[in-house]
């Protein structure tokens, strides 16, 4: 069983930055960030696959950076140039081996954090 604990959400004005963190209880093979805006479906944001390659959904490319510190079993999402449409509950997820744009496939991830809220005001 993998436990994931997110932190770092909050409220920020458009153009601002936030860094989300997700601490895993054990090492995992692939990890990702997902988000769910109010009254909308969950969507994948970014992922690190089993080879360490990062992938991003188009709407966050150039603004968000996903990274991990393996020594600390911690996943990060550095979010810059935030927009109101980035407002959502953000979830980290961990799964088995995955290569490629893993964030596109939520079903690949067996373990989920409790979520952290990000609110971007205009």
């Amino acid at each position: 069983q993998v436990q994931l604990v997110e932190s770092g959400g909050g409220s920020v004005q458009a153009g601002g930055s936030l860094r989300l963190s997700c601490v895993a209880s054990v090492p995992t093979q692939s990890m990702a960030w997902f988000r769910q805006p109010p009254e909308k479906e969950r969507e994948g944001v970014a992922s690190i696959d089993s080879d360490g390659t990062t992938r991003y959904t188009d709407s966050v490319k150039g603004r968000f950076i996903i990274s991990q510190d393996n020594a600390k079993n911690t996943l990060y999402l550095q979010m810059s140039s935030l927009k109101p449409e980035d407002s959502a509950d953000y979830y980290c997820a961990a799964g088995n081996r995955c290569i490629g744009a893993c964030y596109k496939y939520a079903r690949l991830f067996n373990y989920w954090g409790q979520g952290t809220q990000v609110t971007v005001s205009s």
Side-chain angles (χ1 to χ4, degrees):
Q1 188 78 7
V2 179
Q3 294 182 332
L4 303 171
V5 179
E6 300 113 332
S7 61
S11 297
V12 65
Q13 289 190 329
S17 299
L18 283 173
R19 188 177 79 158
L20 306 183
S21 300
C22 173
V23 180
S25 56
V26 295
T28 61
Q29 296 197 50
S30 60
M31 296 193 77
W33 288 98
F34 292 80
R35 66 185 180 187
Q36 186 166 17
E39 300 183 358
K40 293 186 178 180
E41 293 186 354
R42 181 179 57 192
E43 64 172 346
V45 176
S47 56
I48 295 180
D49 71 12
S50 301
D51 288 344
T53 302
T54 58
R55 297 280 196 279
Y56 301 88
T57 193
D58 286 346
S59 63
V60 307
K61 284 180 181 176
R63 300 189 298 121
F64 290 12
I65 299 174
I66 187 172
S67 63
Q68 63 183 12
D69 183 334
N70 292 328
K72 296 180 180 179
N73 292 338
T74 301
L75 180 73
Y76 301 100
L77 185 68
Q78 178 67 49
M79 305 185 293
S80 303
S81 301
L82 283 162
K83 304 175 181 180
E85 51 263 43
D86 294 318
S87 297
D89 290 327
Y90 282 72
Y91 299 87
C92 73
N96 296 322
R97 180 173 175 79
C98 174
I99 299 297
C102 307
Y103 69 88
K104 293 184 178 181
Y105 309 104
R107 66 181 184 275
L108 296 178
F109 296 90
N110 302 320
Y111 304 101
W112 295 78
Q114 81 286 355
T116 186
Q117 188 175 58
V118 172
T119 302
V120 184
S121 58
S122 58

